């Protein structure tokens, strides 16, 4: 895709700090570096996001992630890792080429904050929603 910054990085038209590359996947340091070592893992084939990918393409992408994540953690002495994928603008996607963020974690006070709010379970509503999803 001609206007895609990640396609331009893959094509070598824009420089990047590569940490991994094979036939289907490229991983490079995110220029924003939310935490030191923040890495993006992208398929070389353009997909808008994970929702456009088939199982084979997604499998090729995700097969690389554990190895790359371990290398990032080892190199940075991180204590943990958030592995994040955003799909569509409402979910925080800003570049519309599938990518997975590997965000090393060092302390609870670093620059990344992911918070989930727990709710009391409504088991009948959960069962109805699960059935609706299963039948979709």
């Amino acid at each position: 895709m001609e206007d895609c910054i990640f396609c331009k990085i893959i094509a070598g038209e824009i420089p990047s700090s590569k940490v991994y590359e094979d036939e289907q996947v490229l991983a490079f340091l995110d220029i924003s570096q939310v935490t030191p070592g923040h890495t993006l893992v992208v398929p070389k084939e353009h997909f808008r996001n994970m929702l456009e990918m088939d199982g084979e393409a997604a499998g090729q992408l995700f097969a690389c992630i554990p190895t790359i994540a371990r290398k990032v953690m080892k190199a940075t002495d991180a204590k943990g890792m958030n592995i994040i994928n955003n799909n569509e603008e409402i979910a925080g996607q800003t570049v519309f080429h599938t990518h997975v963020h590997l965000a090393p974690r060092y302390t609870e006070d670093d620059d990344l904050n992911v918070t989930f709010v727990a709710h009391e379970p409504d088991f009948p509503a959960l069962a109805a929603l699960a059935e609706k999803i299963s039948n979709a």
Side-chain angles (χ1 to χ4, degrees), residues 20 22 24-26 41-44 49-51 53-70 82-87 98-102:
Y20 175 88
D22 66 22
Q24 292 87 22
V25 174
L26 176 65
V41 185
V42 304
K44 289 185 174 179
N49 55 41
M50 190 67 58
L51 303 173
M53 298 180 82
D54 61 22
E56 183 178 348
Q60 292 168 343
L61 175 66
F62 276 92
C64 302
I65 288 177
T67 299
I68 299 166
R70 285 190 296 269
N82 283 99
I83 299 175
I84 304 166
N85 172 251
N86 304 320
N87 294 274
T98 301
H99 58 287
V100 177
H101 295 263
L102 305 181

Side-chain angles (χ1 to χ4, degrees), residues 54-116:
D54 61 22
E56 183 178 348
Q60 292 168 343
L61 175 66
F62 276 92
C64 302
I65 288 177
T67 299
I68 299 166
R70 285 190 296 269
K71 288 178 175 239
V72 171
M73 286 190 63
K74 182 178 180 182
T76 63
D77 291 322
K79 294 180 177 142
M81 171 82 62
N82 283 99
I83 299 175
I84 304 166
N85 172 251
N86 304 320
N87 294 274
E88 298 300 341
E89 190 173 347
I90 190 69
Q93 185 179 7
T94 57
V95 176
F96 293 92
H97 181 120
T98 301
H99 58 287
V100 177
H101 295 263
L102 305 181
R105 300 304 302 268
Y106 304 97
T107 71
E108 292 179 9
D109 298 324
D110 58 24
D111 289 335
L112 181 63
N113 182 12
V114 178
T115 305
F116 294 96

Side-chain angles (χ1 to χ4, degrees), residues 34 48 58 104:
V34 172
R48 177 179 173 86

Side-chain angles (χ1 to χ4, degrees), residues 2-41:
E2 64 186 55
D3 288 339
C4 175
I5 190 168
F6 290 170
C7 287
K8 290 178 180 179
I9 289 171
I10 292 162
E13 297 170 16
I14 296 175
S16 66
S17 299
K18 295 178 185 180
V19 299
Y20 175 88
E21 184 171 18
D22 66 22
E23 292 293 317
Q24 292 87 22
V25 174
L26 176 65
F28 53 92
L29 295 178
D30 189 311
I31 61 172
S32 71
Q33 290 296 286
V34 172
T35 60
H38 179 184
T39 300
L40 301 177
V41 185

